[in-house]
Structure formats: structure tokens, C-alpha cells
Amino acid sequence: MSIETYADALAFIHGRPRVKKQPTLARMRDFLAALGHPEAGQTYLHVTGTNGKGSVVAMSAAMLAASGLTVGTFTSPFITRFNERIAINDQPISDADLVKYTQQVAPIVAAMDATRPEGGPLEFEVDLAIAFLYFQAQAPDVVILEVGIGGRWDYTNVIDPVAAAIVTVGYDHMALLGSTLTEIATHKAGIIKPHRPVVVGQLPAEAMAVVEQTAQQLASPLLRLGQEFHARSGQPGALFGQLQFQGPDMSSLTAALGLAGEYQVQNAAVAVQLVTTYLTAQHLPIDPRALKTGLAQVQWPGRLEVVNDEPLILLDGAHNLPGVQALVQTLQTDLADREIYLLVGILADKQAELMLGELASLKNVHLYLTHFAGPSQQRPSADLAGLMSDIPTRYPVHQAPDWQTGLYEISQTMSANEIILITGSLYFVSEVRNFLKD
């Protein structure tokens, strides 16, 4: 196909197959070799986790930018526009550059389609190759790569980072990663590289054992939340928390957080340790004021994001069971005194019944269940109505044929000091956010 416009570029990218064909990085490495290895010569940080990895990337990038560095980021999924996935100092790649680098990868993709029995690069591989070409041209000081799924066989795992982070390990993507925490953690621990430090959040014991064993085998320094570095909330019960941090590279830091939610205190601790580990390894100064500025100013759309003040409307992309459990903890800690109207849409391939059970356990929640488009025909929105029959709730559960109807019904029912929270999927939150932000 001819790629002349931004729309052409997106059509080419989204037209690539999405399904992982086999657990191998060989095709990605061949793809990069054919492009002249644009990933070489960059300085990287690598971040994985069942939840929280996007927030850790955002906070780490903000702190490093506030420290005077240019910071590339590669993240997924996007919330408003595809370009957000590839950015430098929070500025997305331009439409013109996206077209330029899509044009550059297209003939290589076509050649690999024609010569490889399993076919050419998948959509995520194309996204990543475009990012590498962009970062090669822009030459930021550091690039932070967010893992797509897992770690060991994720296509981002073709780099040798200065340091890596494993934020959380929980149950998600079990069809690809396995049904036990040991199996899932084995995939996540696959990003640990020999002699490179790895920063680890609070993991279940079963998962931590895998990470510790992998780090020991690779002689990789291990920095664990609660052991080598410490964090606590300085303002329990506040929607926007305060981090109190202690670590090996910085004796103490107290910082206000720009991202809402109790769970962001632990994410922020992992980000601070990752950043200070990087700065120390690169023999760069650690400026606590810059770290505090970055943590206070960071924005990450769709993560307990305030999109309206009166009434208070929050968007949270909790899209799996661990994410919903973290959200529930925040609601119990910070918003227990407010009535909350929850508008929920969940993808069919998630643990929807368990996620709904967690949300329904809250005494101050009114549940409105709905549908949304989903990212593709292969990944539709779940039909939530039939899942609630065995889940006890304090208030009647409402069904809305679409989220627009649900939002209208809530607005006609609630009072001014009550809260609307839209959650269940990043794709759902993205769809609603684009409507509310217009």
C-alpha cells in the first residue's frame, strides 16, 4: 500500500497481524538488522509489571526531564492518539515523523512477509521499530521502554538497559503467560540482564522468589521495595498522596504526587529508585528538588484522572483483577465518605466476574454496567449483565445499553457532592475520555 498521509500510516500499522505467533525474538532482531539496528547506541531503562508500569514510566520520565535530561518513552496503549506511544519529554512524535518512519519500515515488512514462513512483523513490532528509528534520529539522553506483555518474549526485550524495573506481578494475560504467579513472574523476570540492577516493587512471595533467583543467577543487583529501599504514605486518606522515601542513593525524600490514588505511592517509590539507580550508574547528580518537581507535575491520562470538578468525574483504566483491587483500596482509603457512581465496561478476555465482585464489595458504590467498542472485533466488550446474579450488592445494579446512556442516567440520579468513576478497561476509558475532553 502507498503511505503518503498520517491516515495511511495508521492504516498500515493497524493492518498488521496482532497475534504472537511463537515465543521468539528472532523476527524482531532480523527486522532491526534489516533497518540497520536503530536500537543500538541508545541508553535504556526497561519497565515491566502487571499493573503500574505505565505510571512508573511516566513518573520516571518526568523526574529525569526535570533533572535536565531529554527522555524518550515508548508506552502502550495510547489514550487519545497513537502518537502518544512514542514521545520525547512528553511531546508525542509528530504526524510527519510517523509517516516518515512508517515509510521506512514498510518495504522491510513487505520483504519479510514474502520470505518468512510465519509472515513478517506484527503490529507491536512495527510500532517498536518506528520508535527505535525516531529515537535514533532524535538522540535523547535516555529511552524508557514499557514492556507490552510479560517480558522474556516481549519485543522490547532486545535492548541492554542500564537498569530494569518489575513493578508488580499479578494475574493477567494468563493465556500467554501461564496460570500461576511463578509462571507469570518467570516471564517478567526475563527482562533482567546480567550485572544490570533491577528495581522491584512489592511482589507476592511466590513471584519474588522467581525474581530473586533470576537476579542471583545473572549477578544482577536487586533493589526491593521494603528491603533495599522504603516508602510510606505521608498523607493517608488524601486522593493525591505524598511519598516518603528512603533508599541507598538518597537518604530521604518527601514529595507530593501529581498522580492520584493510594497505589501510586508504591509506584512512585519504584520510579524514584529506578531514577536514582540510573543517575548513579551514569555518574550524574541526584537533585531532590528536580525529583520532587517531576513527581508533582507528572500527568498520565486515564490513571485516576480528574476530568471534571463539579461533579467530580474520575477515569481509571483498571483493566484486570490486580488493577481493580488497587483501585478498591484507594476508594476505601481516600473516598470512603462519598457516594460513588461506577460506570464499568470490561473486555471479554478479562476476569470480569472477579473484577465486578471486588467493586461490588464497596458499601458506597452504585454500579452501572455497560458496553463499549473494544480495540477490535476479536477483543469485544464483555456482557456484564449475566455475571451479577451471584454477586451481592448494597444498591440495585443498573444496565445501560451504551456508556453514553449510562452517563446520562447517572447525571440525572446523583447529587452534586457525589462522584462518577469510569473504569474497567483502558480502551473504555480512552473512548469516554475522548468524548469528555472534546
Side-chain angles (χ1 to χ4, degrees):
M1 64 176 290
S2 174
I3 301 170
E4 302 297 334
T5 66
Y6 177 72
D8 294 340
L10 288 186
F12 174 81
I13 292 166
H14 296 320
R16 298 302 304 166
R18 291 176 55 92
V19 178
K20 187 174 292 220
K21 299 167 184 176
Q22 55 190 9
T24 176
L25 297 177
R27 183 177 57 246
M28 188 70 213
R29 295 188 194 282
D30 289 348
F31 188 16
L32 293 173
L35 290 168
H37 283 295
E39 82 287 4
Q42 296 287 329
T43 302
Y44 294 102
L45 295 172
H46 205 186
V47 180
T48 191
T50 303
N51 290 294
K53 57 184 181 290
S55 296
V56 168
V57 170
M59 287 189 273
S60 300
M63 285 186 281
L64 290 168
S67 299
L69 302 178
T70 54
V71 187
T73 51
F74 177 77
T75 58
S76 58
F78 64 91
I79 296 295
T80 305
R81 295 186 86 225
F82 176 87
N83 306 49
E84 298 163 22
R85 297 193 56 194
I86 304 165
I88 293 179
N89 282 14
D90 212 26
Q91 294 300 307
I93 185 173
S94 68
D95 292 358
D97 278 334
L98 187 68
V99 171
K100 173 182 175 181
Y101 296 116
T102 305
Q103 290 171 334
Q104 193 168 334
V105 303
I108 307 296
V109 171
M112 293 179 71
D113 278 341
T115 57
R116 297 183 77 92
E118 80 279 13
L122 306 182
E123 180 177 346
F124 190 87
E125 292 174 286
V126 171
D127 299 341
L128 183 57
I130 291 168
F132 281 139
L133 287 167
Y134 179 65
F135 295 139
Q136 181 186 49
Q138 298 293 320
D141 295 309
V142 59
V143 174
I144 310 177
L145 292 186
E146 178 190 346
V147 166
I149 293 175
R152 182 175 303 277
W153 302 117
D154 188 76
Y155 297 118
T156 60
N157 202 26
V158 292
I159 46 101
D160 183 14
V162 172
I166 302 173
V167 184
T168 57
V169 174
Y171 292 103
D172 197 15
H173 299 296
M174 281 98 81
L176 293 171
L177 305 182
S179 57
T180 69
L181 289 178
T182 295
E183 290 174 306
I184 295 168
T186 299
H187 281 276
K188 308 283 188 201
I191 73 167
I192 301 174
K193 299 296 188 296
H195 310 291
R196 302 298 195 196
V198 56
V199 179
V200 186
Q202 288 193 332
L203 308 187
E206 185 181 339
M208 185 64 86
V210 173
V211 172
E212 290 174 340
Q213 182 182 20
T214 305
Q216 184 178 22
Q217 289 171 344
L218 297 174
S220 302
L222 193 59
L223 298 149
R224 296 160 291 187
L225 178 57
Q227 296 190 57
E228 287 75 24
F229 67 103
H230 301 271
R232 67 186 185 92
S233 174
Q235 293 177 324
L239 185 58
F240 289 88
Q242 181 193 73
L243 168 68
Q244 294 185 348
F245 175 91
Q246 292 178 303
D249 305 298
M250 189 168 51
S251 58
S252 67
L253 178 75
T254 299
L257 301 183
L259 297 184
E262 194 69 25
Y263 55 86
Q264 294 294 7
V265 172
Q266 292 189 10
N267 290 340
V270 171
V272 169
Q273 187 55 60
L274 181 63
V275 165
T276 56
T277 297
Y278 167 81
L279 292 172
T280 300
Q282 299 297 99
H283 306 291
L284 295 170
I286 297 171
D287 180 355
R289 293 169 301 177
L291 304 193
K292 291 170 74 167
T293 297
L295 287 172
Q297 293 180 347
V298 64
Q299 294 183 320
W300 194 232
R303 276 70 171 186
L304 212 57
E305 179 187 11
V306 177
V307 291
N308 197 70
D309 292 322
E310 292 183 8
L312 183 60
I313 302 178
L314 302 171
L315 304 179
D316 191 78
H319 60 284
N320 52 32
L321 182 58
V324 166
Q325 289 169 333
L327 175 61
V328 165
Q329 180 191 357
T330 290
L331 299 182
Q332 288 173 327
T333 305
D334 302 341
L335 297 172
D337 60 338
R338 308 277 291 274
E339 291 294 301
I340 302 172
Y341 288 78
L342 270 180
L343 184 60
V344 183
I346 301 173
L347 286 175
D349 59 5
K350 299 295 182 178
Q351 295 172 292
E353 187 170 7
L354 295 176
M355 293 164 70
L356 289 173
E358 292 282 342
L359 296 170
S361 70
L362 294 166
K363 302 303 182 188
N364 59 332
V365 154
H366 305 256
L367 275 175
Y368 283 71
L369 310 180
T370 191
H371 300 270
F372 62 104
S376 67
Q377 289 184 335
Q378 290 72 37
R379 299 191 70 199
S381 171
D383 182 3
L384 303 179
L387 301 178
M388 292 300 301
S389 57
D390 297 325
I391 300 176
T393 59
R394 181 176 180 181
Y395 300 109
V397 177
H398 299 264
Q399 321 286 342
D402 53 66
W403 62 261
Q404 293 93 336
T405 303
L407 198 56
Y408 176 77
E409 290 177 357
I410 291 171
S411 69
Q412 298 303 298
T413 304
M414 68 183 296
S415 60
N417 65 336
E418 295 173 338
I419 297 171
I420 300 174
L421 173 59
I422 298 161
T423 191
S425 164
L426 277 169
Y427 295 102
F428 176 42
V429 163
S430 172
E431 192 174 316
V432 179
R433 187 180 190 275
N434 288 341
F435 171 79
L436 293 176
K437 284 288 192 177
D438 276 350

